[in-house]
């Protein structure tokens, strides 16, 4: 906590400095002054939390200093020094506000000074918490477009130009929905505090405030301190780079940082906010640990996609028919290239992934066997960027040929049984239901399952249901009871027991693991 000592008698200042081991108790004397005018300038530059000030001084006395600081809304707490005969002035100072207490000069000792310092510190922290909450609420409303009178920004001390920054925890890409990052339980206040400490002494940019978008994203608003420099953008990036590194080492996970600059008009901050949130939504295009200016990214002007309307897999289908792996790899890369240039096309990416997933599972769909999920976290590593998606689908399409060879060995009766299970797994089906539908006996179907799939009928139904449950848990925010009902379990408790037996973890744990990886 920063302090300034103000007294026209140098001997008094030296006496106070010698009373307390300041560092030991978390205090730092950043400056001293012998009159109020010099002290006011120091307060504006150093922004101390506490000022110990004498009442009687030349040029500008203590009362005038307290009044000037109060008008500038610097949030400083004062400990007033006075002689016995100045007691009436001390009472007047207290009435001005911002005064924590007063001390009689000739009665100051170490214990008394520490007591009053801690009292001032507590008062400052309480006020600062309230000020910060109000300021951050105002900033959130201004940045998100809820504040319709941005001209009032001056009363909050905001001065352009501004830099707007969004920091996002990197989360695996999910093919289930158009989200940027999956929210997860987290103490965002802790890493906001870390960021604030790293920014506090930057000579070019001041952290003016912040707010959480959700548990995985924080938005920071910076105001430039040094208005004469022409390297504002570079200086902002230099400030963000160590923050980026610190978060990785402190929390053992990666973060991405997107920023916009410069913004002169506070009314334009809403546009900047849209830019950084769009950049975060398109994080899969730039990958993990991004540190990028949103204005430099090829973000779409409109959200509509034309890719899905014209998507064609002719070359890819031909490569699969010819079993030409090199041709297939080229075709996959070309398809992904189309949704990356000239602008990033997120909706087109989802259309492409859905189409490729259907293509990967086409042999399974035709033959009635369980389909594979390219994003199953218990089978595959998490995906974070386009290159990961290219590798994933190249690998799966290579496996499609061998899968075709395996499924061709299944009997016609078995494929009919599997198709029936896939169509009715959400119902209370029994082996008798399946055998009645396909025209064979239950005992014969039992034999087919053991011979051709090396598992029982119940094992297969359970595995298929759990596979569908995992897909729902990854892609949707459905309640566990709803998931259970949708895959054929009347009891959520029974579903939970079965899920843990098959996967080794509970349903809610599976969902949490997917969001953290």
């Amino acid at each position: 906590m920063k302090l300034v000592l103000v007294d026209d008698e140098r001997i008094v200042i030296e006496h106070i400095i010698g009373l307390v081991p300041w560092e030991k108790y978390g205090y730092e004397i950043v400056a001293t002054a012998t009159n109020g005018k010099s002290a006011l300038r120091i307060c504006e530059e150093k922004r101390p939390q506490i000022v110990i000030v004498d009442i009687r001084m030349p040029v500008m006395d203590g009362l005038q200093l307290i009044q000037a600081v109060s008008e500038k809304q610097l949030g400083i707490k004062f400990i007033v020094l006075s002689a016995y005969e100045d007691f009436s002035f001390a009472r007047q100072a207290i009435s001005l506000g911002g005064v924590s207490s007063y001390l009689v000069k000739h009665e100051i000792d170490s214990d008394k000074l520490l007591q009053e310092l801690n009292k001032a510190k507590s008062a400052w922290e309480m006020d600062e918490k309230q000020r910060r909450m109000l300021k951050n609420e105002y900033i959130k409303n201004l940045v998100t477009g809820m504040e319709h009178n941005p001209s009032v920004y001056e009363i909050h001390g905001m001065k352009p130009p501004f830099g707007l920054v969004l920091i996002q925890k990197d989360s695996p890409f999910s093919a289930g929905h158009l989200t940027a990052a999956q929210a997860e339980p987290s103490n965002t206040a802790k890493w906001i505090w870390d960021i604030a400490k790293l920014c506090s002494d930057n000579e070019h940019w001041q952290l003016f405030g912040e707010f959480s978008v959700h548990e995985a994203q924080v938005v920071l608003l910076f105001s430039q301190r040094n208005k004469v420099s022409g390297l504002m953008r570079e200086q902002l990036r230099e400030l963000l780079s160590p923050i980026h590194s610190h978060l990785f080492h402190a929390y053992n996970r990666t973060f991405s940082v997107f920023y916009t600059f410069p913004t002169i008009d506070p009314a334009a901050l809403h546009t900047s906010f849209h830019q950084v949130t769009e950049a975060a939504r398109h994080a899969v295009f730039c990958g993990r640990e991004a540190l990028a200016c949103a204005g430099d990214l090829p973000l779409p002007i409109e959200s509509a996609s034309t890719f899905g309307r014209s998507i064609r897999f002719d070359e890819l289908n031909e490569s699969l028919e010819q079993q030409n792996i090199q041709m297939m790899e080229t075709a996959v890369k070309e398809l992904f290239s189309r949704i990356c240039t000239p602008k990033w096309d997120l909706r087109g990416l989802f259309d492409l992934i859905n189409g490729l997933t259907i293509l990967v599972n086409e042999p399974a769909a035709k033959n009635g066997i369980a389909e594979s999920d390219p994003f199953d976290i218990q089978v595959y590593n998490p995906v974070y960027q386009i290159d990961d998606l290219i590798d994933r689908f190249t690998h799966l399409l290579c496996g499609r040929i061998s899968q075709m060879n395996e499924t061709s060995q299944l009997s016609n009766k078995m494929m009919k049984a599997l198709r029936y299970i896939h169509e009715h797994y959400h119902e209370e089906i029994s082996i008798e239901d399946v055998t009645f539908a396909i025209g064979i006996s239950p005992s014969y179907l039992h034999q087919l399952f053991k011979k051709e799939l090396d598992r029982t009928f119940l094992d297969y139904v359970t595995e298929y249901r759990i596979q569908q449950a995992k897909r729902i848990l990854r892609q949707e925010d459905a309640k566990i009871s709803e998931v259970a009902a949708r895959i054929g379990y009347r009891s959520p408790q029974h579903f939970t027991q079965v899920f843990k037996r098959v996967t080794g973890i509970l349903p809610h744990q599976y969902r949490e693991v997917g969001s953290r990886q």
Side-chain angles (χ1 to χ4, degrees):
M1 182 154 284
K2 296 186 290 187
L3 279 85
V4 171
L5 304 182
V6 189
D7 197 297
D8 62 335
E9 296 182 61
R10 178 57 62 177
I11 192 170
V12 174
I13 292 177
E14 296 299 330
H15 174 64
I16 293 173
I17 291 175
L19 281 176
V20 175
W22 301 93
E23 274 191 38
K24 177 181 177 181
Y25 293 101
Y27 297 101
E28 176 191 4
I29 299 175
V30 294
T32 62
T34 55
N35 63 73
K37 186 175 181 180
S38 298
L40 179 59
R41 186 179 65 254
I42 290 170
C43 288
E44 291 178 309
E45 292 175 357
K46 301 291 187 179
R47 296 298 176 103
Q49 286 81 38
I50 300 173
V51 171
I52 301 176
V53 61
D54 187 15
I55 288 287
R56 293 182 179 272
M57 292 182 297
V59 184
M60 176 188 282
D61 66 25
L63 294 180
Q64 292 170 321
L65 173 62
I66 294 168
Q67 180 69 42
V69 167
S70 177
E71 290 173 356
K72 291 180 179 293
Q73 300 182 20
L74 299 182
I76 295 171
K77 289 297 177 184
F78 287 89
I79 298 175
V80 174
L81 300 179
S82 71
Y84 283 116
E85 62 269 20
D86 294 328
F87 180 69
S88 61
F89 290 102
R91 286 194 301 179
Q92 186 179 347
I94 292 172
S95 70
L96 293 174
V99 176
S100 171
S101 58
Y102 77 94
L103 292 170
V104 177
K105 278 188 180 184
H106 303 296
E107 294 182 353
I108 298 175
D109 60 27
S110 177
D111 292 339
K112 180 64 174 175
L113 182 57
L114 274 174
Q115 179 183 341
E116 298 304 328
L117 283 170
N118 291 333
K119 179 181 174 182
K121 177 182 177 182
S122 297
W124 182 89
E125 288 174 343
M126 288 182 62
D127 286 355
E128 178 63 13
K129 184 178 181 180
Q130 183 66 23
R131 281 194 300 268
R132 196 170 189 85
M133 286 176 60
L134 292 173
K135 184 172 66 173
N136 287 343
E137 184 65 24
Y138 170 79
I139 289 171
K140 182 176 182 179
N141 292 338
L142 178 64
V143 168
T144 58
M146 295 176 65
E147 171 59 60
H148 302 297
N149 185 23
S151 62
V152 302
Y153 77 97
E154 292 181 353
I155 68 171
H156 296 270
M158 294 170 57
K159 296 180 181 179
F162 306 112
L164 195 71
V165 179
L166 184 147
I167 301 180
Q168 170 175 280
K169 295 178 181 178
D170 290 326
S171 295
F173 175 80
S174 170
H177 38 76
L178 288 165
T179 57
Q182 299 170 0
E184 61 183 81
S186 172
N187 184 9
T188 53
K190 176 66 171 67
W191 48 287
I192 288 174
W193 178 248
D194 287 353
I195 293 168
K197 287 193 293 183
L198 289 169
C199 297
S200 60
D201 295 324
N202 187 268
E203 61 178 311
H204 302 296
W205 288 95
Q206 174 189 357
L207 177 61
F208 192 78
E210 71 287 322
F211 62 90
S212 297
V213 180
H214 53 63
E215 291 87 346
Q217 289 181 341
V218 166
V219 172
L220 313 170
L221 179 64
F222 289 90
S223 178
Q224 191 189 20
R225 295 182 194 267
N226 181 2
K227 303 296 188 297
V228 297
S229 174
L231 301 174
M232 295 181 288
R233 173 169 167 160
E234 291 80 359
Q235 290 163 352
L236 181 59
R237 187 179 178 90
E238 287 174 5
L239 169 63
L240 296 175
S241 183
I243 292 173
H244 199 209
S245 300
H246 169 81
L247 290 173
F248 172 75
H249 293 294
Y251 297 94
N252 195 30
R253 65 169 302 152
T254 61
F255 293 74
S256 287
V257 179
F258 302 99
Y259 60 94
T260 62
F261 178 84
T263 302
I264 304 301
D265 181 4
L269 285 170
H270 179 48
T271 302
S272 297
F273 177 68
H274 176 72
Q275 276 189 309
V276 293
T277 51
E278 277 301 292
R281 224 166 60 94
H282 289 74
V284 67
F285 288 89
C286 49
R288 303 170 78 178
E289 298 185 85
L291 174 56
C293 177
D296 294 340
L297 302 177
L299 297 170
I301 298 174
E302 298 179 358
S303 59
S305 168
T306 58
F307 183 84
R309 303 171 199 161
S310 59
I311 187 168
R312 296 179 65 87
F313 295 107
D314 296 349
E315 186 177 349
L316 185 56
N317 282 322
E318 184 179 348
S319 69
L320 294 173
E321 290 174 4
Q322 296 179 14
Q323 299 185 15
N324 186 328
I325 293 178
Q326 185 175 0
M327 182 180 175
M328 180 268 293
E329 290 177 347
T330 301
V332 171
K333 289 178 181 178
E334 174 61 27
L335 287 167
F336 278 98
S337 176
R338 288 179 55 196
I339 52 91
C340 293
T341 55
K343 298 288 185 180
W344 290 344
D345 186 349
L346 189 58
R347 292 186 180 278
L349 175 62
F350 278 82
D351 291 340
L352 174 58
I353 288 172
N354 289 336
L356 289 173
T357 302
I358 291 171
L359 197 60
V360 165
N361 285 312
E362 191 174 46
K366 287 181 177 178
N367 294 288
I369 64 173
E371 299 176 356
S372 63
D373 184 342
F375 302 98
D376 189 335
I377 58 176
Q378 290 192 321
V379 178
Y380 305 107
N381 291 327
V383 168
Y384 289 93
Q385 57 191 4
I386 294 294
D387 287 346
D388 294 340
L389 290 168
I390 293 173
D391 292 342
R392 176 66 46 82
F393 282 101
T394 299
H395 169 74
L396 291 172
L397 289 168
C398 284
R400 170 179 159 160
I401 297 171
S402 59
Q403 186 184 30
M404 279 292 294
N405 294 331
E406 292 174 4
T407 56
S408 62
Q409 298 174 8
L410 295 179
S411 66
N412 185 51
K413 292 292 186 183
M414 173 57 73
M415 288 192 290
K416 286 183 178 180
L418 296 180
R419 289 194 191 100
Y420 184 91
I421 292 171
H422 295 177
E423 292 172 1
H424 300 275
Y425 70 92
H426 53 283
E427 305 169 5
E428 291 188 40
I429 57 172
S430 64
I431 193 168
E432 286 78 13
D433 297 325
V434 179
T435 54
F436 180 80
I438 65 175
I440 61 174
S441 68
S443 60
Y444 182 48
L445 186 56
H446 271 302
Q447 294 174 15
L448 288 178
F449 266 96
K450 291 298 293 181
K451 179 182 177 182
E452 298 185 21
L453 297 180
D454 192 29
R455 70 195 72 185
T456 67
F457 168 82
L458 182 58
D459 286 342
Y460 184 87
V461 173
T462 299
E463 289 171 10
Y464 190 79
R465 282 173 166 168
I466 297 304
Q467 183 184 49
Q468 301 307 309
K470 286 158 65 176
R471 175 183 55 80
I472 296 171
L473 289 168
R474 278 196 316 279
Q475 299 180 0
E476 303 177 30
D477 192 26
K479 295 180 179 179
I480 300 301
S481 58
E482 180 185 344
V483 177
R486 286 170 59 180
I487 65 167
Y489 289 96
R490 287 187 175 181
S491 167
Q493 291 77 17
H494 182 213
F495 160 66
T496 298
Q497 293 170 357
V498 173
F499 191 96
K500 184 173 183 181
R501 188 179 74 242
V502 173
T503 67
I505 57 177
L506 296 171
H508 74 274
Q509 293 172 326
Y510 179 85
R511 174 178 277 156
E512 290 170 2
V513 169
S515 67
R516 285 198 303 267
Q517 283 186 313

